[in-house]
Amino acid sequence: MFFRLEEVQGEGSQPMKVLILGAGGREHALAWAVARSPRVKEVVCAPGNGGMALVARCVPVDLKSLDDMLRLVDVEAPDLTIVGPELPLSLGIVDALQAKGRRVFGPSQAATRLESSKAFAKEFMKRHQIPTAKYMVCAHANELEKAIAFFHPPIVVKADGLAAGKGVIICDSRATALEAAHGLFDGRLLGEASRQVVLEEFLEGEEISFLCLSDGAHVTPLVPAQDHKRIGERDTGPNTGGMGAYSTDSMLEPQMVEWILHHIAKPTVHGMAEEGMPFVGVLYCGLMMTPRGPEVLEFNARFGDPETQAILLRLESDLVDAVEACIDGKLSEMELRWSPGAAACVVASSAGYPGSYKTGMPLSGLTNAAMIPGVQVFHSGTARLGNQLVTSGGRVLCTAAAGDSLGEALSRVYQALAEIQFEGIYFRHDIGHRAVKSKV
Ligand code: AMP
């Protein structure tokens, strides 16, 4: 028996064209999840990358230019745009597209301040009694000396604005904290002067990435995840954009999920609505599980990379339905279904990353890797050179797999990685080690 597409999709539902803005592993995972939706007929990625070109049509765009993104949306006329990275959100792409009557998933420029201004996020949390580290905001370098006297090392020094993961410095003395904070104010550390600097109490514990969907009023949690930011085994060496992540149900007890929803995620969404900046999109709560309970380290206003690659492998519901429920304020009518078990992903990077590295290295073994059950290879920094895929970034690939247990997911990921080759390939062999050790 054959069904017409319209019958399967339900009455009135037209096959959709979806545009995804972004170029990394997170966007490749979003494109993969969107392409699985029976409601979608075409996925366009802008600018995308060499791997995304296999599941979607990739078109060039400058993610730093609001005008260029608007031009692209006018040309492509998608039914839905999903914004991956923070920069277009902070430029106000959502407001600009909505003003043109376009459907778009992501928070407004004002709501994105939860991520784009750490000072705003800290003051907001204080106003709404959301647990976070004690802090002081300095608006001028001449306030630093007085403020630092109130902190006991280690002291965390943060740039106020977006800093691509480079804006947090953990200092083991007041003198180094002072130097770091001056470096942020005068532009030496980030190349651009920070308008404000946040000084923060150092928190100890395990970090959890707690992501939620929000329609501006309701909150639905995604499965929890944990990422590994450091380049070296056993979480040593410099910070990176993320070297791997994993997700299991047993990472958080159901009571703890409820606590976080009740004391952190819901008060954030309700507080933003009360203050006239309803948050619609993905609210990423970066949490430290301290001995006195979970505390917010940071908010992001979008899906995390690489957590999303692990999380979406466990999503059984249609991502497009979920995204549309957020846009239409109908999240409370939707329940997300997840596969039990676990998912994990491991990033393969270029030799030298997060420092300088070479690009243009040919990749091989991807077809064999993708044939391992449960495995998806998401691309971060790859490009097409004729028929050949070559490396084009520091983080090159993110190999992800689901499994009945974390052990099974990880063993599939590492089996797949053993098939993949490019000159200088580096990846951590201990992703998920904390969870494997504690057998969650
Ligand atoms: P953020 O961009 O604010 O999440 O900071 C990046 C990373 O710095 C976090 O994932 C933590 O590993 C670390 N970090 C940030 N704030 C603190 C803090 N108050 N105490 C300890 N570590 C922190």
Side-chain angles (χ1 to χ4, degrees):
M1 160 117 33
F2 292 96
F3 296 98
R4 285 187 304 128
L5 192 58
E6 296 77 35
E7 285 167 348
V8 179
Q9 288 164 337
E11 236 174 288
S13 168
Q14 296 294 323
M16 293 171 71
K17 173 174 177 177
V18 180
L19 170 68
I20 295 173
L21 291 175
R26 162 185 53 210
E27 286 78 18
H28 191 173
L30 288 168
W32 168 80
V34 164
R36 289 196 318 167
S37 167
R39 300 177 54 202
V40 170
K41 71 165 192 292
E42 188 183 6
V43 185
V44 180
C45 295
N49 61 37
M52 285 154 88
L54 303 172
V55 288
R57 183 160 59 83
C58 292
V59 290
V61 76
D62 180 359
L63 294 174
K64 297 189 285 304
S65 161
L66 205 51
D67 286 345
D68 199 38
M69 290 185 279
L70 292 176
R71 174 204 55 79
L72 176 77
V73 175
D74 276 344
V75 171
E76 290 291 339
D79 300 297
L80 170 67
T81 299
I82 299 178
V83 187
E86 60 276 24
L87 185 62
L89 294 171
S90 71
L91 293 174
I93 184 67
V94 171
D95 315 59
L97 287 178
Q98 280 171 348
K100 284 173 160 262
R102 299 276 181 206
R103 272 170 89 69
V104 53
F105 178 67
S108 66
Q109 187 176 34
T112 300
R113 288 181 79 207
L114 279 180
E115 171 167 8
S116 63
S117 169
K118 291 199 190 288
F120 170 83
K122 294 298 282 192
E123 307 281 17
F124 173 85
M125 285 188 270
K126 192 172 173 184
R127 286 197 292 281
H128 295 276
Q129 291 96 44
I130 295 164
T132 187
K134 298 210 167 43
Y135 73 98
M136 281 174 107
V137 177
C138 295
H140 297 284
N142 61 14
E143 295 171 9
L144 287 170
E145 203 133 342
K146 206 164 150 194
I148 268 175
F150 290 97
F151 289 84
H152 190 76
I155 303 170
V156 184
V157 179
K158 297 185 174 184
D160 179 47
L162 295 181
K166 298 191 188 93
V168 176
I169 309 127
I170 296 173
C171 305
D172 56 12
S173 70
R174 287 199 189 87
T176 51
L178 204 53
E179 196 185 317
H182 277 293
L184 290 177
F185 268 123
D186 63 26
R188 257 179 306 133
L189 280 187
L190 295 177
E192 202 174 308
S194 290
R195 285 188 32 244
Q196 301 188 91
V197 167
V198 179
L199 303 176
E200 212 174 272
E201 167 198 20
F202 179 78
L203 298 178
E204 273 178 283
E206 211 168 306
E207 286 184 45
I208 294 277
S209 304
F210 189 88
L211 283 72
C212 306
L213 294 180
S214 168
D215 64 2
H218 307 99
V219 180
T220 298
L222 308 184
V223 285
Q226 205 163 29
D227 76 337
H228 292 266
K229 288 206 170 67
R230 306 289 198 99
I231 187 77
E233 310 265 317
R234 304 280 136 183
D235 299 316
T236 53
N239 262 335
T240 68
M243 295 304 291
Y246 57 99
S247 166
T248 67
D249 286 330
S250 45
M251 216 170 232
L252 288 178
E253 295 298 326
Q255 293 88 334
M256 186 56 100
V257 171
E258 279 308 311
W259 195 95
I260 295 167
L261 277 172
H262 190 74
H263 290 94
I264 294 175
K266 287 184 183 175
T268 303
V269 166
H270 296 161
M272 290 297 282
E274 264 166 47
E275 294 193 17
M277 298 171 273
F279 188 99
V280 178
V282 176
L283 177 69
Y284 170 126
C285 309
L287 305 177
M288 187 70 94
M289 308 303 283
T290 77
R292 61 185 180 217
E295 302 202 7
V296 177
L297 288 174
E298 64 164 340
F299 286 122
N300 291 329
R302 33 103 195 154
F303 284 106
D305 188 338
E307 293 96 326
T308 301
Q309 290 88 310
I311 289 172
L312 289 182
L313 273 197
R314 297 189 57 201
L315 180 65
E316 286 179 353
S317 305
D318 187 324
L319 180 64
V320 175
D321 286 346
V323 159
E324 292 217 300
C326 292
I327 296 174
D328 296 330
K330 293 183 172 165
L331 196 54
S332 59
E333 294 169 23
M334 180 166 189
E335 202 170 321
L336 293 182
R337 282 173 287 104
W338 299 95
S339 59
C345 61
V346 176
V347 169
S349 62
S350 303
Y353 175 79
S356 57
Y357 51 83
K358 287 198 270 184
T359 57
M361 305 298 157
L363 288 137
S364 62
L366 295 175
T367 314
N368 287 351
M371 270 155 49
I372 295 164
V375 166
Q376 291 295 329
V377 181
F378 297 120
H379 293 227
S380 305
T382 68
R384 243 164 219 289
L385 210 60
N387 275 339
Q388 178 66 55
L389 264 180
V390 296
T391 64
S392 64
R395 290 193 296 168
V396 176
L397 299 167
C398 179
T399 301
D404 289 339
S405 65
L406 182 58
E408 183 177 56
L410 284 166
S411 111
R412 288 171 165 175
V413 168
Y414 284 113
Q415 222 182 314
L417 275 168
E419 298 286 341
I420 297 173
Q421 278 143 27
F422 59 85
E423 194 187 311
I425 184 170
Y426 168 82
F427 55 87
R428 281 181 55 170
H429 294 81
D430 65 340
I431 298 304
H433 67 89
R434 278 182 239 111
V436 171
K437 207 167 62 194
S438 61
K439 297 213 170 42
V440 294

Coordinates of all heavy atoms in Angstrom, one line a residue, residues 118 122 133-134 156 158 165-170 200-204 207 227 229-230 239 284 286 288 296-300, ligand 1:
K118 N 28.1 38.4 30.3 CA 28.2 37.7 31.5 C 27.8 38.6 32.7 O 27.2 38.1 33.7 CB 29.6 37.2 31.7 CG 30.0 36.0 30.8 CD 31.2 35.2 31.2 CE 31.7 34.3 30.1 NZ 30.8 33.2 29.9
K122 N 24.9 37.5 35.3 CA 25.1 37.5 36.7 C 24.0 38.3 37.5 O 23.4 37.9 38.5 CB 26.5 37.9 37.1 CG 27.6 37.0 36.6 CD 27.6 35.6 37.1 CE 28.1 35.4 38.5 NZ 28.3 34.0 38.9
A133 N 27.9 31.4 41.3 CA 29.0 31.8 42.1 C 28.9 33.2 42.5 O 28.4 34.1 41.8 CB 30.3 31.5 41.3
K134 N 29.4 33.6 43.7 CA 29.5 35.0 44.1 C 30.4 35.8 43.2 O 31.3 35.2 42.6 CB 30.0 35.1 45.6 CG 29.2 34.3 46.5 CD 29.2 34.9 47.9 CE 28.1 34.4 48.8 NZ 27.9 32.9 48.7
V156 N 38.2 33.6 39.6 CA 37.9 33.4 38.2 C 37.6 34.8 37.6 O 36.8 35.6 38.2 CB 36.6 32.5 38.1 CG1 36.3 32.3 36.6 CG2 36.8 31.2 38.8
K158 N 36.4 36.9 34.2 CA 35.7 36.7 33.0 C 35.5 38.0 32.2 O 35.1 39.0 32.8 CB 34.3 36.1 33.3 CG 34.4 34.8 33.9 CD 33.0 34.2 34.1 CE 33.1 32.7 34.6 NZ 31.8 32.1 34.7
G165 N 35.0 31.0 24.0 CA 35.6 30.1 24.9 C 36.9 30.6 25.5 O 37.5 29.9 26.3
K166 N 37.4 31.8 25.1 CA 38.7 32.3 25.6 C 38.6 33.4 26.7 O 39.6 33.9 27.2 CB 39.5 32.9 24.4 CG 39.8 31.8 23.4 CD 40.8 32.4 22.4 CE 41.0 31.4 21.2 NZ 40.1 31.8 20.1
G167 N 37.4 33.7 27.1 CA 37.2 34.8 28.0 C 37.2 34.5 29.5 O 36.8 35.3 30.3
V168 N 37.5 33.2 29.9 CA 37.5 32.9 31.3 C 39.0 32.5 31.7 O 39.6 31.6 31.1 CB 36.6 31.7 31.6 CG1 36.7 31.2 33.0 CG2 35.2 32.0 31.2
I169 N 39.5 33.2 32.8 CA 40.8 32.9 33.2 C 40.7 32.5 34.7 O 40.2 33.3 35.5 CB 41.8 34.1 33.0 CG1 41.6 34.6 31.6 CG2 43.2 33.7 33.3 CD1 41.4 36.0 31.5
I170 N 41.3 31.4 35.1 CA 41.3 31.0 36.5 C 42.7 31.3 37.1 O 43.7 30.8 36.5 CB 40.9 29.5 36.6 CG1 39.5 29.3 36.1 CG2 41.0 29.0 38.0 CD1 38.9 28.0 35.9
E200 N 34.9 36.4 39.9 CA 33.9 35.3 40.4 C 34.6 34.4 41.4 O 35.8 34.1 41.2 CB 33.4 34.6 39.2 CG 32.0 34.1 39.3 CD 31.5 33.5 38.0 OE1 31.0 34.2 37.2 OE2 31.7 32.2 37.9
E201 N 33.9 33.9 42.3 CA 34.3 32.9 43.2 C 34.6 31.6 42.4 O 33.8 31.3 41.5 CB 33.1 32.6 44.2 CG 33.2 31.4 45.1 CD 31.8 31.1 45.6 OE1 30.8 31.6 45.1 OE2 31.7 30.4 46.6
F202 N 35.6 30.9 42.8 CA 35.9 29.6 42.1 C 35.0 28.5 42.7 O 35.0 28.3 43.9 CB 37.4 29.3 42.3 CG 37.8 28.0 41.7 CD1 38.1 27.9 40.3 CD2 38.0 26.8 42.5 CE1 38.5 26.7 39.7 CE2 38.4 25.6 41.9 CZ 38.6 25.6 40.5
L203 N 34.3 27.8 41.8 CA 33.5 26.7 42.2 C 34.1 25.3 41.9 O 34.8 25.2 40.9 CB 32.1 26.7 41.5 CG 31.3 28.0 41.7 CD1 30.0 27.9 40.9 CD2 30.9 28.1 43.2
E204 N 33.9 24.4 42.8 CA 34.5 23.0 42.6 C 33.4 22.0 42.5 O 32.3 22.2 43.1 CB 35.4 22.7 43.8 CG 36.8 23.2 43.5 CD 37.7 22.9 44.7 OE1 37.6 23.6 45.7 OE2 38.5 21.9 44.5
E207 N 31.0 19.2 36.2 CA 30.2 20.1 35.4 C 29.2 19.3 34.6 O 29.5 18.2 34.1 CB 31.1 20.8 34.4 CG 31.9 22.0 35.0 CD 32.7 22.8 34.0 OE1 32.2 23.1 32.9 OE2 33.9 23.0 34.3
D227 N 30.7 17.5 28.8 CA 31.7 17.7 27.8 C 33.1 17.7 28.4 O 33.2 17.9 29.6 CB 31.4 18.8 26.8 CG 31.8 20.2 27.4 OD1 31.8 20.3 28.7 OD2 32.0 21.1 26.7
K229 N 36.5 19.8 27.9 CA 37.0 21.0 27.3 C 38.5 20.9 27.0 O 39.0 21.6 26.1 CB 36.6 22.2 28.1 CG 35.2 22.6 28.1 CD 34.9 24.0 28.4 CE 33.5 24.4 28.1 NZ 32.6 23.8 29.0
R230 N 39.2 20.2 27.9 CA 40.7 20.3 27.8 C 41.2 19.4 26.6 O 40.6 18.4 26.4 CB 41.3 19.8 29.1 CG 40.9 20.6 30.3 CD 41.3 22.0 30.3 NE 41.2 22.5 31.7 CZ 42.3 22.6 32.5 NH1 43.4 22.2 32.2 NH2 42.1 23.1 33.7
N239 N 42.3 24.8 27.3 CA 40.9 24.6 26.9 C 40.8 24.6 25.4 O 41.5 25.3 24.7 CB 40.1 25.8 27.5 CG 39.4 25.4 28.8 OD1 39.2 24.2 29.0 ND2 39.1 26.3 29.6
Y284 N 20.9 26.8 27.4 CA 21.9 25.9 27.8 C 22.4 26.4 29.2 O 23.0 27.5 29.3 CB 23.1 26.0 26.8 CG 24.4 25.3 27.1 CD1 24.9 24.3 26.2 CD2 25.1 25.5 28.2 CE1 26.1 23.7 26.4 CE2 26.3 24.9 28.5 CZ 26.8 24.0 27.6 OH 28.0 23.4 27.8
G286 N 25.1 25.8 31.9 CA 26.3 25.1 32.2 C 26.4 25.1 33.7 O 26.5 26.2 34.4
M288 N 27.8 23.8 37.6 CA 28.8 23.1 38.5 C 28.0 22.4 39.6 O 27.2 23.0 40.3 CB 29.7 24.1 39.0 CG 30.9 23.5 39.8 SD 32.0 22.6 38.6 CE 33.2 23.9 38.3
V296 N 25.0 27.8 38.6 CA 25.2 28.1 37.1 C 26.6 28.7 36.9 O 27.0 29.7 37.6 CB 24.1 29.2 36.7 CG1 24.3 29.6 35.2 CG2 22.7 28.6 36.8
L297 N 27.3 28.1 36.0 CA 28.6 28.7 35.6 C 28.4 29.7 34.5 O 29.1 30.7 34.4 CB 29.5 27.6 35.1 CG 30.1 26.6 36.1 CD1 30.9 25.5 35.3 CD2 31.1 27.3 37.0
E298 N 27.5 29.3 33.6 CA 27.2 30.2 32.4 C 25.9 29.7 31.8 O 25.5 28.6 32.0 CB 28.3 30.0 31.3 CG 28.4 28.6 30.8 CD 29.2 28.5 29.5 OE1 29.4 29.4 28.8 OE2 29.6 27.3 29.2
F299 N 25.3 30.7 31.1 CA 24.2 30.3 30.2 C 24.7 30.5 28.7 O 25.5 31.4 28.4 CB 23.1 31.3 30.3 CG 22.3 31.2 31.6 CD1 22.1 32.3 32.5 CD2 21.6 30.0 31.9 CE1 21.4 32.1 33.6 CE2 20.9 29.9 33.1 CZ 20.8 30.9 33.9
N300 N 24.3 29.6 27.9 CA 24.4 29.8 26.5 C 23.0 29.9 25.9 O 22.0 29.3 26.5 CB 25.2 28.7 25.8 CG 26.6 28.7 26.2 OD1 27.2 29.7 26.4 ND2 27.2 27.5 26.2
Ligands
AMP1 P1 32.1 29.8 31.1 O1 32.4 30.3 29.7 O2 31.7 30.9 32.0 O3 31.3 28.6 31.2 O4 33.5 29.3 31.6 C1 34.2 28.3 30.8 C2 34.7 27.3 31.8 O5 35.4 27.9 32.8 C3 33.6 26.5 32.5 O6 33.1 25.4 31.8 C4 34.3 26.0 33.8 O7 35.1 24.9 33.5 C5 35.3 27.2 34.0 N1 34.6 28.1 35.0 C6 33.9 29.2 34.7 N2 33.4 29.8 35.9 C7 33.9 29.1 36.9 C8 33.9 29.2 38.3 N3 33.2 30.2 38.9 N4 34.5 28.2 39.0 C9 35.2 27.3 38.5 N5 35.3 27.1 37.1 C10 34.7 28.0 36.4

